[in-house]
Amino acid sequence: MKKVILCILGALMAQSLLAADLTGKWTVTTQGRGGQANETDYFIVAKGDTFTGYIGGQTPEAISDGIVKGNDVTFNVTRQTPNGNTKVAYTATITPEGLMLKAPAGGGRGGGFGRGRGGGFGFGNPPAPGAAAPPMQQLAKRVSTATPPPMPPIPAKIALPMPTTAVRSNGLAKTPPMGWNSWNKFQRGVNDQVVREIADAMVKNGMRDAGYVYVNIDDTWQGTRDEKGNIRPNEKFPDMKALADYVHSKGLKLGIYSSPGPKTCAGYEGSYQHEEQDAKTYAAWGMDYLKYDWCSASQVYEATSQPAVYAKMGQALLDSGRAIVYSLCQYGQQDVGEWGARVDGNSWRTTGDIRDNWTSMSTIGFDQQIGREKFAGPGHWNDPDMLEIGNGEMTDTEYRTHMSLWSLLAAPLLAGNDLRSVAPDILDILTNKEVIAIDQDALGKQATRISKDGDLEVWSRPLADGSLAVGLFNRGEATGRVTAKWPGLGLSGPQKVRDLWAHADRGTGSDAIWADVPSHGVVLLKISR
Ligand code: GLA
């Protein structure tokens, strides 16, 4: 018995004295959101029971404070975030298969595994709806026991000054762009067939005739570059030119997506150092719209370079000779409203990604657009992100609020649902002509919030014919009475009131209008003399 205890004690002591030597290269292989294999290499140099090292990649990350205690491993990773460098605490267990890494906590502040998007860490944007949750554990397999080379220097990020001249206006998007985008519903499931079927559906179900003309392919269409550096679509899109011809034959337009960085948000080929070439390719294919998404550009450019980087593609699109609507997507960073139009942006995202739920939609729509109205006007619009109407996680009442608010905000109206099988009530919401007319009003004035009384809000925008669009909103959980008084709206005297969801005239009021608005609902009015 004594002998056994001594043996165990001895073994325990030996283990603590002789910590496992982790020196070498350890590789984690994961499947990216685009289906491709992603490898992350951990280079480790051990000294007794401590170690240092780095994680490889475009921007290597230093590993410090590594400690091995039996099978338990802890270390820190210095990670760049938009707010500077953070030390992220990692833990791992030594197993017979390798090093089982546990995802560090910290969400968007550097937690989760890896950098970029979809892997638990992102610049400004949480992963897209439906994206796989970051794995809780990742296995790093040892591929070499050789002492790794020293950490390569972190390349300095490119700092470009604010351009001194504006890109000449492309003259497009005099009213907010309308159409459809693949991301919210299909994500990487988009392909040639889906796009064709959506185009067919938009003709059949009246979406096109209601004004939705852009059919926009979002992320995950990109393949590799040829020997001359020309971007090629992947196997999901056998022939982009043929697809554009098809979409055009339906009286619709086709849009595409890229990033100024080396990779897109889903890890596909970006336009970094191929900007002019890509713009020419898009034009040759017959593209009519480009969404240009910052994503991995944050790894090669200083954030303050955004105006110059976006101006470069703005100019390239102009020089391509084709009329291509230019949609900036950098989540509202760097006060984009101040320079978005100068780089020829026809719209710019103002927030992180929308989700199909009330909290996301209402926070973006009501809270994150305040004060931005001064930047919007014909040709250049604030973009609170694409529509979630019809994706199933909100009620019709909430979707009507979504549609009303986006129209008051003069936002691009890009449906994000599966238009091949759209329920009649959803189609009614998306194609309400009277509401679309507010969004598309020629004056191009974005609404402001006129009053807020707890959960009850009144928003209004002036229209080209001298009337006012007014939204009476209730963000609360119970029905509430919302009142809009003429002086607050800048009105006086008798005014005719029309209800744009009920399609009904409500008579004439002399000093105010009120309505009992259901929870999360809206009464949208047009008020005119
Ligand atoms: C970012 C954008 C989304 C979508 C995805 C694609 O998250 O904000 O709208 O384009 O990238 O990867």
Side-chain angles (χ1 to χ4, degrees):
M1 183 63 178
K2 230 182 183 178
K3 236 181 173 177
V4 174
I5 293 175
L6 275 177
C7 266
I8 294 174
L9 268 178
L12 281 174
M13 279 170 67
Q15 202 179 29
S16 64
L17 288 177
L18 264 184
D21 183 347
L22 302 184
T23 298
K25 177 176 168 184
W26 302 74
T27 300
V28 173
T29 308
T30 52
Q31 222 201 359
R33 259 169 50 208
Q36 77 286 17
N38 288 334
E39 290 196 340
T40 310
D41 297 324
Y42 291 70
F43 297 96
I44 294 180
V45 183
K47 202 173 166 199
D49 58 358
T50 67
F51 64 90
T52 53
Y54 58 96
I55 304 179
Q58 180 120 22
T59 314
E61 298 178 321
I63 292 176
S64 60
D65 317 311
I67 295 174
V68 183
K69 256 193 203 153
N71 288 330
D72 295 331
V73 177
T74 56
F75 60 97
N76 287 322
V77 172
T78 301
R79 178 154 297 158
Q80 293 180 0
T81 76
N83 307 320
N85 285 350
T86 336
K87 271 198 177 178
V88 182
Y90 275 63
T91 57
T93 311
I94 301 171
T95 71
E97 290 76 38
L99 255 188
M100 188 58 84
L101 297 153
K102 294 188 194 83
R109 290 188 310 282
F113 289 113
R115 296 145 284 197
R117 297 291 323 286
F121 175 68
F123 292 92
N125 267 337
M136 297 311 289
Q137 307 208 101
Q138 285 186 344
L139 181 67
K141 288 193 177 158
R142 190 178 220 155
V143 292
S144 160
T145 52
T147 303
M151 178 167 135
I154 298 175
K157 289 193 188 177
I158 304 165
L160 301 171
M162 177 66 89
T164 47
T165 52
V167 179
R168 182 171 56 77
S169 164
N170 61 22
L172 301 170
K174 290 290 182 217
T175 62
M178 288 178 67
W180 173 87
N181 173 293
S182 59
W183 187 253
N184 284 358
K185 175 70 188 177
F186 292 90
Q187 296 177 29
R188 67 187 174 92
V190 66
N191 59 34
D192 179 277
Q193 194 189 341
V194 166
V195 173
R196 285 171 192 252
E197 288 173 2
I198 292 282
D200 293 345
M202 289 171 79
V203 176
K204 260 204 212 119
N205 65 20
M207 284 289 286
R208 179 195 63 185
D209 295 342
Y212 295 86
V213 292
Y214 290 96
V215 180
N216 293 344
I217 305 164
D218 205 279
D219 206 347
T220 79
W221 64 266
Q222 305 87 341
T224 53
R225 293 186 181 276
D226 69 13
E227 66 289 348
K228 292 196 181 115
N230 295 312
I231 186 74
R232 295 176 293 202
N234 58 35
E235 63 291 345
K236 297 191 297 169
F237 291 90
D239 187 339
M240 277 296 189
K241 171 94 177 64
L243 179 58
D245 289 346
Y246 183 80
V247 170
H248 292 152
S249 77
K250 301 280 161 179
L252 294 161
K253 293 173 187 286
L254 190 61
I256 201 153
Y257 165 101
S258 190
S259 168
K263 295 279 176 224
T264 66
C265 289
Y268 286 73
E269 186 71 17
S271 293
Y272 181 56
Q273 293 177 331
H274 291 277
E275 295 81 0
E276 283 93 2
Q277 196 175 16
D278 285 358
K280 282 192 191 133
T281 302
Y282 304 151
W285 284 340
M287 292 298 161
D288 307 295
Y289 188 111
L290 173 69
K291 172 173 168 183
Y292 205 42
D293 194 348
W294 189 241
C295 300
S296 74
S298 61
Q299 288 168 26
V300 289
Y301 294 110
E302 294 288 356
T304 49
S305 301
Q306 285 187 9
V309 171
Y310 276 95
K312 183 163 196 176
M313 185 52 95
Q315 187 63 48
L317 292 175
L318 258 190
D319 294 345
S320 79
R322 192 172 168 87
I324 301 179
V325 166
Y326 187 29
S327 155
L328 276 48
C329 179
Q330 40 75 284
Y331 337 115
Q333 295 170 1
Q334 300 290 313
D335 292 328
V336 61
E338 300 282 357
W339 50 267
R342 287 170 48 85
V343 303
D344 220 6
N346 297 112
S347 67
W348 47 83
R349 279 272 297 277
T350 52
T351 70
D353 290 9
I354 194 168
R355 299 279 179 274
D356 184 20
N357 65 63
W358 169 255
T359 304
S360 166
M361 184 278 286
S362 63
T363 308
I364 287 178
F366 290 111
D367 300 329
Q368 299 183 356
Q369 308 308 318
I370 307 254
R372 296 185 191 272
E373 59 279 353
K374 57 178 178 286
F375 302 122
H380 48 95
W381 310 98
N382 290 306
D383 174 9
D385 208 354
M386 303 166 298
L387 299 173
E388 290 284 9
I389 296 168
N391 279 333
E393 299 300 322
M394 285 190 261
T395 64
D396 282 6
T397 299
E398 291 168 336
Y399 286 140
R400 271 190 290 275
T401 294
H402 189 2
M403 183 77 187
S404 304
L405 191 49
W406 263 236
S407 295
L408 283 165
L409 292 169
L413 295 179
L414 296 170
N417 57 326
D418 187 348
L419 293 174
R420 299 170 305 179
S421 54
V422 49
D425 52 336
I426 295 298
L427 203 53
D428 280 352
I429 296 174
L430 285 167
T431 58
N432 182 326
K433 291 211 164 74
E434 294 193 75
V435 179
I436 292 173
I438 303 300
D439 181 74
Q440 296 291 301
D441 184 74
L443 193 60
K445 280 253 181 235
Q446 178 174 328
T448 53
R449 188 166 68 193
I450 300 299
S451 68
K452 177 168 175 64
D453 174 12
D455 291 324
L456 311 179
E457 300 191 8
V458 178
W459 290 67
S460 105
R461 68 177 276 191
L463 302 173
D465 66 2
S467 54
L468 271 188
V470 177
L472 310 179
F473 292 99
N474 176 7
R475 298 174 66 178
E477 300 307 317
T479 299
R481 180 162 296 181
V482 188
T483 305
K485 295 186 179 146
W486 281 189
L489 295 171
L491 299 172
S492 60
Q495 303 285 337
K496 286 182 284 181
V497 176
R498 181 165 173 81
D499 184 326
L500 304 185
W501 285 110
H503 301 295
D505 291 326
R506 298 291 190 211
T508 302
S510 56
D511 55 0
I513 175 110
W514 59 265
D516 290 329
V517 184
S519 161
H520 295 185
V522 61
V523 170
L524 186 63
L525 306 168
K526 186 168 173 181
I527 303 185
S528 38
R529 272 214 178 275

